[in-house]
Amino acid sequence: MPPSRPVRPSPGPLPGQLHGVLEPIVAEAGFELDELDVRATGRRHTVKVVVDSDTGVGLDDIAKLSRAAAAELERHEHLIGGSYTLEVTSPGVDRPLTVPRHWRRARLRLVTVRPREGKPFTGRVGAAAEDAVTMLVDGALRRVPYAEVDRAAVEVEFKPAPETEVALLSEAPE
């Protein structure tokens, strides 16, 4: 897994141009532009803007950001050249963990990892450095370099992490 993943615009010049228009609006609102996807169906476009932050993204934040992004897109309507639907959202729980900030945001969450080599495993996320993450796997701390991860995703849990696991991860060196 590469150490960082740039914002994933869809291919073509339009997403690149829209990225330059929307990224400052997203940053001014205190978020990171995690993904920009532009899809065309005939002359109609769908512009999907996925934003994230270390403190999360609430519905009020999405509503405010949607209004600001729509106003900015109206000022640059020549870029899209037709009707469009704007979708502003936060990443879903099924978003793969691909960069250190995703792992930091998943701290204390249960994650299933499919390594490039070996069997998949599930563990609780601890400290995330720039090159690896500490995980609690089967009761033991394990350093997992990002370069060895093929895919990782958060598991849905309906109760808080067990206190014993939180304590072990809190005591682990960063």
Side-chain angles (χ1 to χ4, degrees):
M1 175 183 311
S4 65
R5 178 186 73 132
V7 172
R8 215 178 43 169
S10 36
L14 180 58
Q17 293 170 326
L18 290 180
H19 181 274
V21 168
L22 294 173
E23 198 280 329
I25 301 298
V26 172
E28 185 176 304
F31 301 104
E32 295 168 347
L33 181 56
D34 200 53
E35 183 178 342
L36 174 61
D37 186 38
V38 181
R39 307 250 181 219
T41 307
R43 298 252 325 132
R44 184 158 188 82
H45 290 81
T46 300
V47 178
K48 182 177 179 183
V49 179
V50 182
V51 299
D52 202 3
S53 82
D54 285 342
T55 58
V57 183
L59 289 176
D60 290 340
D61 299 322
I62 293 291
K64 188 185 301 183
L65 189 53
S66 292
R67 288 189 295 275
E72 192 65 20
L73 287 175
E74 282 183 29
R75 286 192 280 280
H76 294 87
E77 65 184 339
H78 62 282
L79 293 176
I80 298 176
S83 60
Y84 66 91
T85 300
L86 174 64
E87 296 177 15
V88 179
T89 187
S90 61
V93 70
D94 60 343
R95 172 198 49 197
L97 306 178
T98 58
V99 294
R101 66 183 155 88
H102 294 163
W103 289 91
R104 279 193 308 274
R105 292 172 184 160
R107 183 169 174 81
L108 301 180
R109 303 286 302 270
L110 205 56
V111 170
T112 297
V113 175
R114 185 175 67 212
R116 294 190 190 283
E117 295 181 14
K119 293 183 178 183
F121 60 90
T122 300
R124 195 159 304 279
V125 175
E130 288 305 308
D131 63 339
V133 63
T134 300
M135 295 183 70
L136 183 63
V137 180
D138 296 327
L141 294 176
R142 178 173 173 182
R143 185 178 182 278
V144 180
Y146 303 133
E148 295 178 9
V149 175
D150 184 46
R151 179 163 175 33
V154 172
E155 294 292 320
V156 176
E157 294 182 280
F158 295 102
K159 51 186 173 180
E163 288 182 30
T164 54
E165 292 181 8
V166 171
L168 282 170
L169 287 167
S170 296
E171 294 169 7
E174 297 274 329

